[in-house]
Amino acid sequence: KVPMPDESTVQDHESREVKLLNIVIVQRGGCSFVTKVRVAQEKKAHAVIIVDKPDSQLTAHDIRRTIVADDGYGNTVDIPSMLVSKEEGTPLIEAAKLSSAQVIVELAWDVP
């Protein structure tokens, strides 16, 4: 279950006010990437981080070259998503499981 968005704000290290958003972390597999993101969007997520499978041998460098397929419903998705390696994503999953506080991440894309 995705919690409702936190509408509060925090101060970051550059003294800019930023809004906290719901970013859902999911494991790769079981259904299409689009389905994962679409379901998260329906649950009011603002973005999705898809973590590669636990048995994957792909590195962060390999993942950057992975093309995420559209299952034909990609046009129904309006929120950003990203695929990360298990090495990058596992600490996020563990922090989310163990922490009673919020886990704060920053998402950034290099768009040519």
Side-chain angles (χ1 to χ4, degrees):
K1 183 174 177 183
V2 177
M4 290 305 298
D6 182 356
E7 299 299 332
S8 65
T9 59
V10 296
Q11 294 282 329
D12 70 3
H13 66 281
E14 295 177 1
S15 298
R16 290 183 295 137
E17 200 169 274
V18 295
K19 209 175 220 186
L20 296 178
L21 304 174
N22 281 332
I23 301 172
V24 175
I25 304 168
V26 296
Q27 198 85 48
R28 183 178 185 179
C31 62
S32 73
F33 293 107
V34 172
T35 297
K36 289 178 184 298
V37 178
R38 197 164 35 93
V39 168
Q41 177 177 286
E42 289 169 3
K43 300 291 184 178
K44 307 297 183 207
H46 295 102
V48 178
I49 299 172
I50 302 169
V51 179
D52 202 11
K53 297 176 185 178
D55 61 347
S56 174
Q57 299 303 310
L58 297 176
T59 65
H61 183 61
D62 298 331
I63 289 289
R64 282 187 229 151
R65 296 182 178 157
T66 302
I67 296 172
V68 178
D70 182 348
D71 64 1
Y73 294 95
N75 64 335
T76 65
V77 173
D78 297 319
I79 62 173
S81 62
M82 63 183 352
L83 174 63
V84 300
S85 70
K86 69 179 181 186
E87 287 80 20
E88 294 169 318
T90 299
L92 293 174
I93 292 171
E94 293 306 314
K97 284 181 182 176
L98 299 175
S99 178
S100 60
Q102 295 177 345
V103 177
I104 298 175
V105 298
E106 180 178 347
L107 302 180
W109 287 262
D110 290 328
V111 181

